Amino acid sequence: MDDLPIREELRGKSPYGAPQLDVPVQLNTNENPYPLPEPLVERIAERVREAARSLNRYPDRDAVELRTALAAYLTRTAGHTVGPANVWAANGSNEVLQQLLQTFGGPGRTAIGFEPSYSMHALISRGTGTGWISGPRGEDFTIDRAAAERAIAGQRPDVVFITSPNNPTGTAVDADTVLALYEAAQAAGPSLVVVDEAYVEFSHRPSLLPLIEGRPHLVISRTMSKAFGAAGLRLGYLAAHPAVVDAVQLVRLPYHLSAVTQATALAALEHTDTLLGYVEQLKAERDRLVTELRAIGYEVTESDANFVQFGRFEGEGAAHEAWRKILGHGVLVRDNGVPGRLRVTVGTPAENDAFLDAVRELKKEQSA
Ligand code: PMP
């Protein structure tokens, strides 16, 4: 429909779309491969049954019980004390990021990210009318601090995205780099610096949460989709100075977080220790994948996440051709468009073995 009167900047664009193909081994969307344990499923049912009794009423608009539980989780695991006034929750961290861009970005404003990185930062920017600036990343996929500082000083963005660990490369960002970019952003702006820590529970490094102390323009974004194995729940959250939480209230829809979502998330948080046990298993499997991929002869980017970027596939379209061949072995990985590289999500040991068999075959074919 060429005459659909949509906004000019959306015309001819493609939506976010990781292929959802029905193959035996799906390692393409960085999901946690472990279903929630049965006692947690029971607890969710209990909590949701309780919530169902008052579904005739709107939910707690401020989600105070949930924000208190999320603050307790962060305080216990991320090395810094926060309270409910520091925490805000929404339907997935994508919605958290959207609310931040609606509040701090918008028409006439810009956001920067260091690419390749999480593609939704650019897409949500576009959706909120925020101009997008593609910032630089080094050859080894780390953030080149001096180049990033120059980009911030030169472009004066209103929002700065730092993804740590970064998706799709797996690369973590050190605290000194975040502090340097925060300083550069305050000197140029002041602007809001958003550290997207969707995968931080899988990292070798501690959370950057303690950096919010004394830095009112720094936001840490988190999700229950990965470490908590609850991608279907749609629960993301942020931690920041209470003024940021207050500001976001200006754009959030009333009662955005359903009573069912709040009840389910609270149940999951009661089972934090069990779920973090799975994270430990996934970290060990991640390290095994890195070691085995290198032994097969692939180049692997250091990973602090529940996925691994590998290659190098030389030549135009070679990564996509490799993606297709791996799919031929019944294993779905992700081609994020990074030249010569593919990304595999860490699955169960059996899924990882199937993936390793597939890429071993691929290597044989390619060196034959
Ligand atoms: N940030 C990053 C870096 C991600 O990779 C993802 C999901 N893949 C998200 C945020 C969004 O996750 P969710 O909306 O499920 O919380």
Side-chain angles (χ1 to χ4, degrees):
M1 276 252 283
D2 285 349
D3 64 346
L4 203 64
I6 69 169
R7 284 161 49 194
E8 237 7 270
E9 65 269 33
L10 300 182
R11 205 173 284 282
K13 294 290 197 306
S14 312
Y16 173 87
Q20 289 190 307
L21 303 177
D22 194 13
V23 294
V25 181
Q26 300 183 4
L27 301 176
N28 69 325
T29 50
N30 297 345
E31 289 156 336
N32 190 313
Y34 295 110
L36 297 180
E38 206 48 37
L40 171 52
V41 172
E42 288 304 316
R43 184 67 184 129
I44 289 172
E46 251 172 54
R47 281 248 189 198
V48 168
R49 189 178 306 113
E50 189 57 36
R53 298 204 170 97
S54 40
L55 280 184
N56 57 314
R57 304 288 177 194
Y58 283 111
D60 175 8
R61 199 171 48 205
D62 299 324
V64 175
E65 189 185 358
L66 176 58
R67 286 162 61 203
T68 304
L70 288 167
Y73 167 68
L74 286 176
T75 299
R76 187 157 78 79
T77 57
H80 184 65
T81 303
V82 287
N86 298 106
V87 173
W88 180 243
N91 295 282
S93 51
N94 282 331
E95 189 181 40
V96 170
L97 300 176
Q98 183 176 52
Q99 292 179 343
L100 288 170
L101 282 164
Q102 286 175 321
T103 312
F104 297 94
R109 291 186 161 216
T110 58
I112 191 171
F114 303 96
E115 297 187 313
S117 189
Y118 180 43
S119 61
M120 284 307 297
H121 294 158
L123 286 183
I124 302 172
S125 294
R126 189 171 76 202
T128 57
T130 313
W132 179 250
I133 302 164
S134 178
R137 206 169 260 276
E139 278 284 297
D140 61 352
F141 300 108
T142 60
I143 293 181
D144 174 339
R145 195 186 300 176
E149 280 172 336
R150 276 197 303 278
I152 290 170
Q155 309 263 10
R156 305 167 67 92
D158 299 282
V159 179
V160 178
F161 284 106
I162 301 172
T163 314
S164 184
N166 187 45
N167 178 13
T169 61
T171 326
V173 184
D174 59 67
D176 286 348
T177 300
V178 174
L179 290 178
L181 300 191
Y182 184 83
E183 291 311 321
Q186 301 323 298
S191 54
L192 193 78
V193 176
V194 181
V195 179
D196 185 337
E197 282 198 338
Y199 300 97
V200 77
E201 286 95 339
F202 300 98
S203 183
H204 299 101
R205 293 172 193 263
S207 167
L208 295 161
L209 178 74
L211 301 186
I212 68 171
E213 189 61 40
R215 293 184 187 84
H217 302 156
L218 188 67
V219 179
I220 304 289
S221 168
R222 293 286 199 99
T223 182
M224 293 181 75
S225 294
K226 313 294 176 180
F228 280 82
L233 163 63
R234 311 307 301 130
L235 199 289
Y237 54 104
L238 65 75
H241 191 282
V244 172
V245 175
D246 289 346
V248 162
Q249 307 307 304
L250 299 169
V251 301
R252 59 112 180 88
L253 294 175
Y255 317 109
H256 68 298
L257 209 52
S258 89
V260 173
T261 299
Q262 294 185 40
T264 308
L266 279 163
L269 283 159
E270 288 176 17
H271 288 245
T272 298
D273 290 341
T274 312
L275 298 171
L276 291 183
Y278 294 158
V279 168
E280 287 309 311
Q281 291 177 36
L282 288 167
K283 284 166 74 173
E285 278 295 297
R286 183 257 329 273
D287 294 341
R288 178 171 80 94
L289 276 182
V290 170
T291 307
E292 300 255 341
L293 279 165
R294 285 187 178 144
I296 298 169
Y298 290 101
E299 202 179 296
V300 181
T301 313
E302 215 53 66
S303 174
D304 274 82
N306 68 334
F307 53 83
V308 176
Q309 177 177 267
F310 66 103
R312 195 185 277 202
F313 304 99
E314 301 287 356
E316 181 78 22
H320 199 72
E321 187 53 22
W323 176 86
R324 215 181 45 75
K325 288 193 167 143
I326 298 168
L327 185 60
H329 291 278
V331 181
L332 179 61
V333 296
R334 186 76 179 272
D335 176 6
N336 294 85
V338 181
R341 305 291 206 291
L342 295 173
R343 187 194 74 191
V344 60
T345 303
V346 180
T348 61
E351 288 172 330
N352 300 333
D353 285 341
F355 161 74
L356 287 168
D357 286 345
V359 289
R360 242 180 238 115
E361 284 302 310
L362 180 67
K363 197 72 176 176
K364 270 192 224 149
E365 286 168 34
Q366 287 182 332
S367 41

